Amino acid sequence: MAYQLAERNGIQHKFSRDKKAAGTAWFKEFLRRNPELSFRTPEATSAARARGFNKEAVAKFFYTLEEIMRVHNITDPMRIYNMDESGIQTVPSKVSKIVAHKGRKQVGFLTSAERGQNISIVLCLNATGQFIPPAIIFPRKRHNDLLYQGLPYGTLCLHNESGYMKSDTFVKFLEHFQKHCQSSVDKKVLLILDGHVTHQTVEAIEYCRSNGIIMLSFPPHCTHEMQPLDVAVFSPLMTYYNEELNLWLKANPGKIVTLYNVGPLFGKAYRRAATLNNGLSGFEKTGIFPYNPNILPDWKFKPSCTTDRPMVASTDHTMTTSNGDPLPTTNCEKNAESQREETPSSQLQKPGHSTMKSKKNFVKAKYETSSSETDEWQASGNSSDDVSIFDENESSVSIVSPSQNNLNENKKIVTPFDISPLPVAPPQSRSSRQSKGATVFTSSPNYLLAKERLSTRMKTSQATNIARKKLFSKTKANKKKRHEEDDAACIFCCELFSTSAAKEKWIKCNSCQKWAHALCAGVSVGKKAYVCDFCV
């Protein structure tokens, strides 16, 4: 892109015209001249995450959070909790770099297996940085005390066939959570978590409503930036767990890590990661406590610009909460509206004009940027090429065209967005499934909705079971009928084929198509053309 920018802007350069690219030396010097830039490996971002993490969803979450804290008088940070699940395996998720000879194509590192077994862990902490004892879910049908040795004190030990969070497992965790937070109907606590389907069951909602637990979900695909555990705890926890795995493998050569070794390894990593500083940092960086809805900078919402759609004029897009109340206008929107109302049209600054004054003569090239992206090039490429000359003897500002400064006349500056424009997704048909934002699972509307989903699921399950029983009985009757039709009797002794001795030979008459014992017919089985005595 550097070569194309230089060519299209008429800038002299020493780039290779054969390769049509800048060299590595220029790139290193470019990074040295711009220390605020660095060469990074980007993280993969799914299209769903790019669409879901937008300003509207984040604003709705913070408004709902503020309403809950105000209505239920939750001002104590010890009553604000965050809970999330993650997975650890018996093999390291990331292998550290080692020093090896040059020229070797493959450098190996010994692990227990290529793919390890998954164990789910559940962490929970409050806004003061205090953690409640974690929960761990092993992929086992039966309880085994040997699996839970070496775990942190007070860990909730669970097991199921898959090793993942399920509806009944989540209810057991809620009982563990309530025992440590001591919530009640008079002293409610706020539990912020993701919108997984196991968190929305009727059993879980009823338990929370009866024990003073308010469940608030994050918007879909936003937990990577808004969940305290994801932001400040899980990353160091996985790093420390991988270190403990590698140390164990080096200390035990020839052995593999099994489920019975996970407890001590996770216990050591948990003690290093579940610190007060990490807990406090997670809530501060996400703006949950202290409450700061403007904590996320604008550049973090850039991926959502690719999938943004223009609003339809005939449709009401007023943002509402889970209770149906409209969101209030933000301070930025109010200030912008007030400025537009108070500022006369004659005083609005136009491109190419300025009211600045200076005491010295100097030339300043200024590229006009868009109002929404003041720190970047214009995507449209319509940047101003005018050069403003300020004179100390003149009160006004004179505009000098590019031709007066040895530049090509009527030629605009080519920006990187002109060469490689920002991708914009094509229009898509709206899905029938409504996308949910921040939702209070324990609210009455969501509780009734969960009961309705359960009732529908039970009716569907009953109808499916009835259909299966009918199909099974019909199939069984067909098999019995087919068996009766396939059974035959000997035309000589009338003995049925089903009751005859094992490995007894039978032969079929080519004329009447009836069967008979080979011994009764007095012929050998290998005879191809046989006609019984009744057909002769």
Side-chain angles (χ1 to χ4, degrees):
M1 182 179 290
Y3 175 85
Q4 297 178 9
L5 284 173
E7 283 289 320
R8 295 180 64 174
N9 286 313
I11 302 175
Q12 294 183 357
H13 60 83
K14 297 182 180 180
F15 301 151
S16 174
R17 298 189 180 275
D18 297 332
K19 297 181 180 180
K20 295 183 178 181
T24 56
W26 176 88
F27 183 68
K28 291 180 180 179
E29 287 296 318
F30 175 77
L31 292 179
R32 186 185 62 82
R33 293 191 301 269
N34 299 273
E36 69 277 3
L37 302 179
S38 63
F39 195 60
R40 303 280 297 276
T41 301
E43 296 182 5
T45 303
S46 64
R49 192 175 293 276
R51 288 192 297 268
F53 185 63
N54 54 69
K55 291 185 178 181
E56 182 178 352
V58 173
K60 180 180 178 181
F61 168 77
F62 278 106
Y63 175 73
T64 307
L65 175 64
E66 185 181 17
E67 286 295 306
I68 292 175
M69 296 172 65
R70 180 184 61 83
V71 172
H72 299 282
N73 194 24
I74 302 178
T75 57
D76 187 1
M78 295 189 66
R79 296 166 59 191
I80 304 175
Y81 288 85
N82 173 225
M83 165 262 177
D84 191 26
E85 309 97 344
S86 186
I88 56 177
Q89 294 186 342
T90 54
V91 297
S93 60
K94 186 177 181 181
V95 180
S96 59
K97 293 184 178 181
I98 61 174
V99 179
H101 288 283
K102 290 184 177 180
R104 293 189 178 182
K105 297 294 184 181
Q106 295 180 346
V107 180
F109 183 85
L110 183 64
T111 60
S112 301
E114 293 184 1
R115 296 185 63 182
Q117 293 180 283
N118 183 78
I119 304 98
S120 297
I121 55 174
V122 187
L123 303 187
C124 186
L125 78 161
N126 59 25
T128 61
Q130 298 178 357
F131 289 76
I132 71 170
I136 188 166
I137 309 172
F138 280 96
R140 284 291 181 269
K141 290 185 179 180
R142 296 176 180 85
H143 182 84
N144 190 344
D145 292 334
L146 297 177
L147 292 172
Y148 308 113
Q149 294 181 356
L151 291 172
Y153 178 76
T155 300
L156 176 64
C157 303
L158 303 171
H159 58 87
N160 55 40
E161 296 181 3
S162 63
Y164 292 96
M165 178 66 76
K166 293 186 176 181
S167 301
D168 55 342
T169 311
F170 181 65
V171 175
K172 293 179 181 178
F173 174 79
L174 287 176
E175 296 173 355
H176 171 74
F177 170 76
Q178 194 275 336
K179 182 178 69 174
H180 288 85
C181 70
Q182 297 295 322
S183 62
S184 62
V185 179
D186 297 331
K187 188 180 179 182
K188 295 183 179 181
V189 298
L190 174 62
L191 179 60
I192 311 175
L193 68 176
D194 56 34
H196 195 262
V197 65
T198 57
H199 305 159
Q200 307 180 40
T201 60
V202 176
E203 295 81 4
I205 295 177
E206 288 178 349
Y207 181 84
C208 291
R209 289 168 65 94
S210 60
N211 289 275
I213 302 174
I214 304 172
M215 287 197 299
L216 171 65
S217 72
F218 290 102
H221 311 292
C222 297
T223 55
H224 63 294
E225 293 288 352
M226 301 181 64
Q227 183 155 242
L229 284 170
D230 279 347
V231 172
V233 179
F234 277 131
S235 180
L237 176 63
M238 297 305 168
T239 301
Y240 297 144
Y241 180 74
N242 289 332
E243 291 180 1
E244 296 296 335
L245 273 178
N246 295 332
L247 290 176
W248 191 94
L249 291 172
K250 292 178 181 178
N252 299 273
K255 296 183 180 181
I256 62 174
V257 178
T258 64
L259 293 178
Y260 298 97
N261 306 119
V262 171
L265 298 178
F266 169 72
K268 294 178 181 178
Y270 180 80
R271 285 192 291 271
R272 297 172 62 185
T275 61
L276 183 66
N277 290 335
N278 287 347
L280 291 174
S281 177
F283 278 91
E284 290 177 2
K285 289 182 178 179
T286 54
I288 296 178
F289 191 89
Y291 180 78
N292 185 6
N294 301 319
I295 191 68
L296 299 175
D298 291 341
W299 61 266
K300 288 194 175 183
F301 300 101
K302 292 297 181 183
S304 64
C305 298
T306 304
T307 55
D308 278 347
R309 299 288 184 275
M311 290 187 178
V312 182
S314 60
T315 306
D316 185 13
H317 290 268
T318 305
M319 194 188 308
T320 60
T321 64
S322 58
N323 299 326
D325 300 329
L327 287 179
T329 307
T330 59
N331 294 331
C332 297
E333 296 174 349
K334 291 180 179 179
N335 294 337
E337 293 177 359
S338 61
Q339 289 179 2
R340 285 194 295 266
E341 294 175 357
E342 296 175 0
T343 305
S345 59
S346 59
Q347 296 182 7
L348 293 176
Q349 186 177 355
K350 299 180 180 180
H353 295 77
S354 175
T355 57
M356 297 177 61
K357 298 181 181 181
S358 176
K359 294 183 179 180
K360 297 183 180 180
N361 296 331
F362 65 96
V363 179
K364 181 180 179 181
K366 180 180 180 182
Y367 300 106
E368 297 292 339
T369 58
S370 61
S371 59
S372 60
E373 300 177 1
T374 57
D375 57 342
E376 295 185 2
W377 294 77
Q378 269 191 338
S380 61
N382 297 328
S383 58
S384 176
D385 296 331
D386 294 339
V387 180
S388 302
I389 297 182
F390 298 85
D391 195 322
E392 62 180 355
N393 298 323
E394 296 179 2
S395 59
S396 62
V397 180
S398 60
I399 307 301
V400 180
S401 63
S403 59
Q404 297 175 349
N405 289 275
N406 299 325
L407 297 176
N408 295 329
E409 190 173 357
N410 297 329
K411 182 179 180 182
K412 65 179 182 179
I413 298 295
V414 178
T415 68
F417 291 100
D418 294 329
I419 299 175
S420 179
L422 288 175
V424 178
Q428 299 177 359
S429 59
R430 187 175 296 276
S431 174
S432 59
R433 180 180 178 182
Q434 295 293 334
S435 177
K436 288 186 177 181
T439 307
V440 184
F441 290 153
T442 52
S443 62
S444 297
N446 284 280
Y447 175 56
L448 297 176
L449 184 62
K451 294 182 69 175
E452 183 180 354
R453 286 197 303 264
L454 178 62
S455 177
T456 304
R457 195 181 303 116
M458 291 180 64
K459 291 180 180 178
T460 305
S461 178
Q462 291 177 359
T464 304
N465 292 336
I466 294 174
R468 285 179 179 176
K469 288 180 180 179
K470 289 183 179 179
L471 180 62
F472 179 75
S473 60
K474 186 177 180 180
T475 304
K476 191 174 181 180
N478 291 339
K479 287 183 178 180
K480 184 177 180 181
K481 183 178 180 181
R482 195 182 305 116
H483 178 71
E484 293 176 352
E485 292 176 353
D486 292 343
D487 204 2
C490 177
I491 57 178
F492 294 101
C493 65
C494 297
E495 184 183 9
L496 294 174
F497 174 78
S498 58
T499 60
S500 62
K503 298 183 180 180
E504 194 169 9
K505 306 300 181 182
W506 288 66
I507 192 169
K508 186 177 183 181
C509 176
N510 291 339
S511 179
C512 64
Q513 302 295 320
K514 294 183 179 181
W515 290 86
H517 290 102
L519 294 176
C520 295
V523 295
S524 60
V525 181
K527 189 176 180 179
K528 295 183 179 179
Y530 167 70
V531 179
C532 65
D533 297 340
F534 301 101
C535 298
V536 174

